[in-house]
Amino acid sequence: MNLTRPWSLRELVRDLREGRTTPEDAHQRALARIAETDAELHAWVGQADFLPGAGVPLGVKDIIDLAGVPTRCGSALRAEAAPATSDAAIVTAWRAAGAMPIGKTVTTEFAFFAPGPTRNPAAPGHTPGGSSSGSAAAVASGQVPLALGSQTAGSVTRPASYCGVASLVMSHGRYPVTGVTGLSPSLDSHGVFAATVADLTIAWQALAGETGPAREPRILVWAADALDVVEAPMRNALAQAAKRLQEAGATVEPFRDEGLMAELTAAHPVVMAYEAARERAAELAVAERLSAPLAQLLRTGAATSAAEYETARATIDGGSVRLAEVFDAYDVVLGPAAPGAAPRGLEATGNPVLSRGWQALGLPVVALPGFTDAEGLPLGLQLVGRHRGETALLGHARWAERVLAGVSW
């Protein structure tokens, strides 16, 4: 069976508007595809009732409250959780935009590193990434055209890259996180997956009411050399993309402040651990019942001093000022979304290191699919925009998507 068959949001929205399909038809199509594929993919942990009147089937990561469905956070600690009594604020916003939540998608344990059962539609023997693994797989397989995730380190960008779909990480604070079981209040951000950047743009227009032109950007290319993790196929994909975008009219120059990104990348886990130990204090109290990675994170955070935390925060605050100056002269930063293709095996979720620095800054990020390695595994790139600049970022990403797909303007 071909597990990779993304569902075009653009085509679904057009068919709904023109009366060629109905919300119930879309709901039934989602359920049929889930029934066809989920015994192999394991992307879902619960379903919601169908509510007439809504439109686009939506998956909701299982750290986000969905009325009537338990929020179990991928944890045995929440195995007996009662159904949520109300929607998270972000679900309410998506319902108002015309989305129709159909159920909860798999997350890693409390959105950290312990994997869930989900497999990668593009390569079932390889990790789908984490922690929004279920949402990425649900979109890549065409179970739904839209699914919600969250990112504290690399939990949206990395699974999108591994599964070969597009994603948007919203600016930190763009929408409230009420009803979301988070890890780190200064880092947690909302995310969303769709088949393509063009689909993301339609979703963003419905959610935020904002549209922007698709035009050639001024690009800085971040090679991430200082982090020394990027594999040769990903380096080649980045170089090819930069070359083709420049040939199509974009201004392309190298991002030279590698030292800054290394500092931000180092500061991120300090902040994450410190805040997670306090945000998840109840779980820290029963750390022996958690996976080893999560228990270690919380214990590390509990042992981190306030001075260490403030030093890391100061690094991030200084970086924000320096990056704001960068975005005065350039529109986006283009870089690798992950070190390489999805690693083989399901025991780990891959390395989020290439997202840590950008996530520390709370900037919006689009994962751009389209490249593959020699084995045909997806390789995603990321485009980073200025704070609260999602609309412009999506316009630039849509232009890049069309150029890289060979579509002429």
Side-chain angles (χ1 to χ4, degrees), residues 215-222 238 241-255 326-327 329-335 368 382-384 396-397 399-400 403-404:
R215 64 171 179 82
E216 63 271 35
R218 299 163 297 173
I219 301 172
L220 286 177
V221 178
W222 176 56
L238 180 63
K243 181 173 183 292
R244 288 162 62 182
L245 295 173
Q246 186 171 36
E247 290 172 348
T251 300
V252 177
E253 296 181 15
F255 181 89
V326 167
F327 283 114
Y330 295 89
D331 298 304
V332 296
V333 176
L334 171 69
L368 187 65
Q382 60 178 328
L383 282 170
V384 184
H396 299 314
W399 181 86
V403 169
L404 297 176

Side-chain angles (χ1 to χ4, degrees), residues 251-339:
T251 300
V252 177
E253 296 181 15
F255 181 89
R256 300 189 185 282
D257 207 344
E258 289 275 358
L260 171 61
M261 292 313 301
E263 293 170 9
L264 292 168
T265 301
H268 174 279
V270 177
V271 172
M272 183 173 176
Y274 183 89
E275 293 187 1
R278 286 143 185 87
E279 186 75 1
R280 302 262 61 85
E283 287 75 24
L284 174 60
V286 292
E288 71 281 0
R289 297 175 61 190
L290 302 174
S291 66
L294 181 57
Q296 182 61 43
L297 173 77
L298 300 183
R299 288 167 174 152
T300 298
T304 300
S305 69
E308 291 171 313
Y309 173 74
E310 292 301 334
T311 298
R313 285 287 345 154
T315 297
I316 293 169
D317 292 344
S320 294
V321 174
R322 289 164 65 177
L323 260 297
E325 294 171 353
V326 167
F327 283 114
D328 284 341
Y330 295 89
D331 298 304
V332 296
V333 176
L334 171 69

Side-chain angles (χ1 to χ4, degrees), residues 21-46:
T21 192
T22 68
E24 185 166 5
D25 290 340
H27 184 80
Q28 292 302 323
R29 173 176 166 173
L31 295 184
R33 183 61 174 163
I34 291 170
E36 180 183 29
T37 58
D38 213 51
E40 189 161 354
L41 289 180
H42 306 288
W44 297 84
V45 293

